[in-house]
């Protein structure tokens, strides 16, 4: 559970609260450990700076030496105190860095898993307006920007603790010289506010442009063929160059803002140290050793003040990235979970179902779904075939659903449970696994090589792999062994055979095959899945010869073809099929 849940009305520049809202209790505990180690390291560093003065001026009487054990002793003791303090400082900084690295790593892994899990369980409707480029950005580069924001927060905590401890030591060593503390505090405040608004705008534009860059980069080989066929290489290069230019200019401006802030901080820090020397010269009672100690303590702050600018910039960049992530984290979930009961393979009669889009919807009446039978869904593009298949797969809730099984009425949740062991393949799906073996084992991890060779023969890929020296370990995407679009579709259909699903939904999953090959593969698939409800979406009329029934979605009132003669017993009301759109 997050410590402070983010709200939808968070402002983009409120990066502190957005980063804090993304932390869990474990993250806060880890940050607490990092703070404790950083504080201990800052104390050790302060002691080391104070202990260095007696080594620089061994013959000078320093009043504070009497209050620090070891500083009023011999040179060997002073060296030992300095060495222990420096060694402790180095060790504690190392431990703090390890603690921070573990926290950053765990934080990044959790963000990736959370947003990926949310996308996996998001409803299909909520993803309809999301581009694949933006989703790719959310899952990859965007998380890196957020992780850098938490890292920047850690560095700001470290800088703040070091400043506080160093100023406290300076006040202890010489209260008059510590009057420079308000000036240093003003410098730190200026560092947090300088160029802040512009940095927020640059960061927001950077996130948007990175999404555009993903859009230009996705599915590049297929995109390249399309670009070349139109002779639009120059236009494509110009578009990519435009996005790259905006990204480059944005990144340049970020670095310029950091450099400008660093310049201001260095000048102010130099003015502060100069003011300390002037104060020490004019203020009676301040010895040289105190001046050296205070300058050593305050000099430790300069690197932290310089790095503070970059840390603030990274933290501001995390704000827009977190907003983009939160938009996906708040997507409505898909339909509720399905109980893990054994799958049933009884016939289902869908008496009436309405699905959208398109508007006003597609209505299906008296549709029997019988294991071992094939239902062909046909119709013009964009008329609602995919929406119908999503509902039949149980992945999208229809507007209306009336069905029965074994003479008993069932609701949509019961139907979803009935078809939960399904397999869905569309023409746009491409295997993301590396080899043929990995792709098939994804469907059935326990399948032997003999079984894998058998299903490859079923879909007509056996001879293709026989010509490959690597066989089942053939790489799917390398130039030497790349499978064609039709071969990749055959491989996905081999997954379906291995799955032996309750229902198989093929949304133009054979579109890359020629007509005779399509009929052979679908015929084999039907024979190898005798207990599976097979639903096929295809534009080719020849597939109707294999189908037991056909649903033809027309532009107006349309009636599907009647069922082919069959010996399979079905419900009395299943004798007619119709679809209206």
């Amino acid at each position: 559970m997050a410590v402070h849940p983010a709200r939808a009305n968070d402002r983009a520049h409120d990066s502190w609260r957005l980063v804090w809202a993304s932390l869990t209790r474990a993250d806060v505990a880890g940050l607490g450990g990092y703070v404790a180690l950083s504080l201990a390291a800052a104390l050790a560093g302060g002691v080391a700076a104070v202990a260095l003065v007696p080594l620089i001026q061994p013959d000078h009487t320093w009043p504070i030496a009497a209050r620090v054990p070891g500083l009023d002793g011999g040179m060997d003791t002073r060296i030992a105190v300095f060495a222990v303090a420096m060694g402790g400082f180095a060790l504690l900084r190392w431990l703090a860095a390890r603690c921070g690295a573990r926290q950053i790593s765990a934080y990044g892994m959790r963000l990736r898993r959370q947003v990926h899990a949310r996308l996996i369980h998001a409803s299909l409707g909520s993803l309809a307006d999301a581009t694949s480029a933006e989703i790719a950005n959310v899952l990859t580069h965007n998380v890196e920007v957020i992780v850098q924001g938490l890292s920047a927060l850690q560095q700001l905590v470290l800088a703040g603790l070091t400043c506080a401890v160093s100023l406290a030591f300076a006040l202890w060593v010489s209260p008059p010289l510590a009057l420079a503390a308000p000036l240093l505090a003003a410098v730190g405040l200026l560092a947090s506010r300088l160029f802040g608004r512009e940095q927020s705008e640059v960061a927001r534009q950077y996130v948007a442009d990175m999404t555009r860059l993903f859009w230009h980069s996705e599915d590049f080989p297929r995109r390249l063929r399309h670009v070349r066929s139109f002779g639009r290489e120059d236009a494509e290069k110009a578009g990519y160059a435009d996005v790259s230019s905006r990204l480059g200019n944005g990144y340049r401006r970020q670095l310029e803002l950091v450099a400008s802030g660093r310049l201001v901080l260095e000048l102010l820090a130099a003015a502060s140290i100069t003011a300390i020397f002037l104060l020490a010269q004019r203020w009676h009672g301040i010895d040289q050793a105190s001046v050296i100690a205070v300058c050593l303590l305050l000099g430790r702050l300069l690197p932290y003040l310089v790095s503070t600018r970059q840390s603030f910039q990274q933290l501001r960049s995390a704000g827009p990235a977190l907003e983009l992530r939160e938009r996906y984290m708040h997507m409505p979930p898909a339909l509720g979970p399905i109980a893990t009961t054994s799958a049933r393979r009884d016939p289902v009669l869908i008496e009436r179902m309405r699905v959208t889009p398109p508007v006003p919807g597609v209505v299906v009446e008296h549709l029997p779904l019988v294991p071992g039978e094939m239902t062909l869904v046909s119709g013009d593009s964009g008329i609602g075939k995919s929406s119908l298949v999503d509902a039949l797969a149980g992945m999208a809730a229809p507007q209306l659903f009336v069905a029965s099984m074994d003479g008993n009425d069932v609701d949509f949740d019961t139907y979803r449970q009935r078809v939960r062991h399904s397999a869905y393949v569309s023409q746009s799906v491409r295997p993301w696994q590396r080899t043929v073996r990995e792709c098939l084992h994804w469907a059935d991890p326990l399948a032997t090589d003999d079984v894998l060779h058998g299903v490859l023969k079923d879909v007509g890929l056996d001879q293709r792999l026989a010509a490959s020296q690597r066989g089942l370990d053939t790489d799917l995407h390398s130039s030497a062994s790349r499978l064609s679009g039709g071969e990749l579709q055959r491989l996905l259909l081999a997954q379906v055979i291995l799955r032996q699903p309750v229902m198989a939904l093929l949304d133009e999953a054979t579109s890359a095959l020629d007509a005779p090959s399509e009929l052979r593969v679908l015929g084999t698939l039907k024979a190898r899945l005798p207990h599976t409800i097979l639903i096929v979406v295809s534009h080719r009329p020849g597939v109707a010869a294999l189908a037991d029934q056909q649903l033809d979605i027309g532009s107006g009132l349309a009636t599907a073809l009647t069922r082919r003669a069959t010996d399979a017993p079905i419900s009395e009301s299943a004798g007619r099929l119709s679809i209206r759109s």
Side-chain angles (χ1 to χ4, degrees):
M1 178 186 299
V3 177
H4 298 290
R7 291 178 171 81
N9 61 351
D10 285 337
R11 295 179 299 173
H13 66 273
D14 195 7
S15 300
W16 286 92
R17 191 165 68 87
L18 286 171
V19 173
W20 180 257
S22 68
L23 300 180
T24 63
R25 297 186 186 278
D27 293 329
V28 174
L31 187 60
Y34 178 81
V35 168
L37 289 170
S38 298
L39 178 60
L43 290 171
V47 171
V50 172
L52 183 61
V53 176
L55 301 180
I56 297 175
Q57 293 183 318
D59 299 330
H60 184 80
T61 301
W62 192 28
I64 200 174
R67 290 182 280 169
V68 180
L71 297 187
D72 58 346
M75 182 59 68
D76 291 342
T77 304
R78 295 177 180 181
I79 292 175
V81 171
F82 174 75
V84 170
M86 281 300 297
F89 170 73
L91 178 61
L92 289 168
R93 281 293 304 274
W94 177 72
L95 291 174
R98 283 174 58 88
C99 177
R102 286 194 296 268
Q103 183 187 14
I104 291 295
S105 175
Y107 178 74
M109 287 189 293
R110 180 174 58 80
L111 290 188
R112 292 188 189 281
R113 291 170 179 170
Q114 283 181 337
V115 71
H116 184 262
R118 173 59 72 176
L119 285 167
I120 289 293
H121 295 291
S123 67
L124 296 176
S126 65
L127 293 172
D129 296 327
T131 66
S132 58
E134 186 173 76
I135 293 175
N137 187 22
V138 168
L139 292 173
T140 54
H141 177 77
N142 198 65
V143 174
E144 293 302 316
V145 176
I146 299 172
V147 169
Q148 290 175 7
L150 180 60
S151 178
L153 181 60
Q154 288 182 343
Q155 296 306 309
L156 290 172
V157 168
L158 175 61
L161 290 174
T162 303
C163 289
V165 170
S166 296
L167 291 175
F169 269 102
L171 180 63
W172 181 48
V173 169
S174 178
L177 292 180
L179 292 175
L183 180 58
L184 291 175
V187 170
L189 181 62
L190 182 62
S192 66
R193 305 298 297 176
L194 201 62
F195 310 122
R197 184 179 298 276
E198 184 178 358
Q199 281 189 331
S200 296
E201 293 300 325
V202 170
R204 188 179 301 109
Q205 186 62 42
Y206 186 83
V207 172
D209 287 335
M210 185 58 68
T211 298
R212 295 189 182 96
L213 195 66
F214 271 91
W215 183 267
H216 276 273
S217 307
E218 65 175 355
D219 202 10
F220 189 81
R222 297 178 185 278
R223 180 190 182 100
L224 181 60
R225 292 181 176 89
H226 183 71
V227 170
R228 285 181 177 174
S229 69
F230 279 78
R232 299 290 290 170
E233 292 92 340
D234 291 340
E236 183 70 9
K237 286 188 291 185
Y240 187 88
D242 181 58
V243 178
S244 300
S245 176
R246 288 201 300 269
L247 278 171
N249 291 334
Y251 190 68
R252 172 188 57 79
R253 188 54 186 159
Q254 289 178 359
L255 295 180
E256 287 177 349
L257 292 173
V258 171
S260 299
R262 182 184 296 122
L263 173 63
V264 174
L265 287 172
E266 289 175 343
L267 292 176
L268 290 177
S272 300
I273 294 176
T274 302
I276 291 174
F277 280 113
L278 292 174
L279 181 63
Q281 182 182 6
R282 299 177 182 278
W283 196 302
H284 298 290
I286 298 179
D287 61 2
Q288 187 178 7
S290 297
V291 175
I292 294 174
V294 171
C295 288
L296 287 173
L297 288 167
L298 299 184
R300 294 178 63 233
L301 304 183
L302 185 58
Y304 293 103
L305 290 177
V306 170
S307 64
T308 295
R309 284 302 309 138
Q310 186 170 0
S311 296
F312 273 110
Q313 183 271 327
Q314 289 177 333
L315 187 60
R316 288 191 177 97
S317 297
L322 276 165
E323 282 195 328
L324 179 60
R325 174 183 179 273
E326 286 303 303
R327 195 163 76 238
Y328 281 86
M329 288 298 296
H330 287 86
M331 280 187 167
L335 305 176
I338 302 176
T340 55
T341 58
S342 59
R344 298 182 58 181
R345 296 181 180 265
D346 302 322
V348 177
L349 173 63
I350 297 179
E351 298 177 358
R352 187 173 178 84
M353 181 172 68
R354 177 189 293 273
V355 296
T356 55
V359 177
V362 175
V363 178
V364 179
E365 295 179 334
H366 305 296
L367 171 63
L369 300 177
V370 181
E373 293 190 355
M374 177 191 294
T375 299
L376 173 63
V377 179
S378 58
D380 295 337
S381 298
I383 205 167
K385 297 188 299 296
S386 294
S387 298
L388 176 62
V389 169
D390 287 343
L392 291 175
M395 293 188 291
Q399 290 182 316
L400 174 67
F401 185 84
V402 180
S404 62
M405 186 169 59
D406 292 337
N408 299 315
D409 293 340
V410 295
D411 57 14
F412 187 65
D413 287 339
T414 304
Y415 171 79
R416 289 177 61 222
Q417 170 61 34
R418 163 72 175 77
V419 300
R420 71 183 185 89
H421 290 286
S422 296
Y424 175 91
V425 182
S426 76
Q427 64 176 336
S428 58
V429 174
R430 291 292 182 268
W432 55 91
Q433 295 84 4
R434 186 175 60 87
T435 65
V436 171
R437 186 190 303 276
E438 290 179 4
C439 183
L440 296 180
H441 274 167
W442 183 82
D444 184 0
L446 301 180
T448 64
D449 285 3
D450 289 340
V451 172
L452 299 185
H453 283 294
V455 296
L456 291 173
K457 184 177 181 180
D458 288 335
V459 297
L461 270 182
D462 52 328
Q463 294 182 357
R464 168 66 171 82
L465 294 185
S468 172
Q469 295 180 348
R470 302 192 63 185
L472 292 173
D473 294 315
T474 297
D475 197 307
L476 298 180
H477 307 292
S478 72
S479 59
S481 60
R482 183 185 301 117
L483 272 64
S484 67
E487 289 169 338
L488 290 176
Q489 286 189 338
R490 292 176 188 266
L491 187 60
L492 292 175
L493 295 177
Q495 284 185 335
V496 176
I497 296 176
L498 287 172
R499 169 76 166 158
Q500 290 290 308
V502 169
M503 176 184 288
L505 304 106
L506 311 181
D507 190 355
E508 299 190 53
T510 53
S511 59
L513 302 178
D514 58 75
S517 297
E518 180 182 39
L519 293 179
R520 283 196 299 270
V521 171
L522 289 178
T524 302
L525 203 68
K526 184 178 179 183
R528 295 282 277 115
L529 300 174
H531 305 293
T532 296
I533 298 170
L534 190 58
I535 298 175
V536 177
V537 178
S538 178
H539 291 286
R540 289 173 177 159
V543 178
L546 292 174
D548 297 279
Q549 59 188 15
Q550 179 177 354
L551 301 179
D552 184 19
I553 308 177
S555 57
L557 293 178
T559 303
L561 298 177
T562 57
R563 286 176 54 88
R564 292 195 305 140
T566 177
D567 296 328
I570 59 174
S571 172
E572 292 181 0
S573 59
R576 61 185 181 89
L577 307 172
S578 64
I579 286 188
R580 301 188 184 94
S581 62

